[in-house]
Amino acid sequence: MDERRDIRASDKDRETAVERLRAAHDEGRLSLFEYDERLARAYQAVTYGDLEKLFADLPLSAFGQAERQAARPVRVPRPSAGFIAGLPTWLRVLWGIWLTIVVINLVIWTLVSLSNAEPVYFWPMWPAGTLGAALLGLSVAATAVRRGREERRLGDRQAAPHRHSTGE
């Protein structure tokens, strides 16, 4: 087993580790901070030993059920809680920061307009629009990448039994 620790991990191995971490987080075994930290370490892992360190304090059962569900060829749709809910955590944080910036700018603009007794030039549209457009572009790209990965993963799962039965 020690020999395996020094073998280089593949992208698929890292993705499997990420799925296992996600299952542990969903079960409440990892806080969001621990999950994000281990997720970064999973993507940086070079060997199987690096990946094994991520699960030293987690039971194998944390992934057993998720692994069995992942092996099914049936795709379970995500609940549609909105566009933002389906984004990666880092993008949801950026959207929260953007919303905070927009609200602060609107409050400042409102206070300045009230103190002048008439509305002033609506300058908050510039930071809100430019930052919002950049974030929207990132969000659309991240969603497309995630959707492509899910479709590839689903395609690999459906093709695996076929390859096995034909001897490929």
Side-chain angles (χ1 to χ4, degrees):
M1 190 69 175
D2 287 335
E3 298 167 1
R4 187 170 193 260
R5 293 179 54 82
D6 297 330
I7 295 175
R8 296 181 73 87
S10 69
D11 287 341
K12 186 170 182 162
D13 296 326
R14 283 183 278 277
E15 285 298 323
T16 301
V18 166
E19 290 299 320
R20 187 172 169 194
L21 288 171
R22 184 174 298 128
H25 176 262
D26 291 346
E27 289 179 350
R29 297 181 190 275
L30 296 174
S31 69
L32 184 58
F33 177 75
E34 291 171 313
Y35 171 69
D36 283 340
E37 181 181 304
R38 292 183 192 205
L39 194 65
R41 289 181 17 218
Y43 282 117
Q44 294 171 352
V46 176
T47 64
Y48 285 114
D50 295 337
L51 292 174
E52 288 173 9
K53 291 175 191 174
L54 300 172
F55 306 106
D57 61 342
L58 295 174
L60 187 56
S61 65
F63 188 58
Q65 181 138 8
E67 192 174 48
R68 283 191 294 276
Q69 289 174 351
R72 295 180 190 163
V74 178
R75 183 175 181 189
V76 178
R78 283 186 175 165
S80 58
F83 179 70
I84 301 289
L87 292 176
T89 303
W90 64 274
L91 265 173
R92 287 194 308 248
V93 168
L94 288 177
W95 275 109
I97 293 169
W98 174 83
L99 183 61
T100 303
I101 290 170
V102 169
V103 168
I104 289 170
N105 281 316
L106 285 174
V107 167
I108 292 170
W109 176 81
T110 302
L111 292 174
V112 169
S113 293
L114 289 174
S115 68
N116 284 343
E118 64 181 52
V120 296
Y121 176 72
F122 188 67
W123 54 265
M125 71 180 166
W126 296 110
T130 53
L131 292 175
L135 263 177
L136 183 61
L138 279 173
S139 299
V140 168
T143 302
V145 167
R146 183 175 272 187
R147 188 175 297 130
R149 284 183 184 161
E150 287 176 2
E151 288 173 1
R152 248 190 333 266
R153 194 175 304 133
L154 181 62
D156 289 347
R157 286 185 195 144
Q158 290 175 345
H162 176 70
R163 272 191 237 128
H164 218 330
S165 64
T166 60
E168 287 181 25

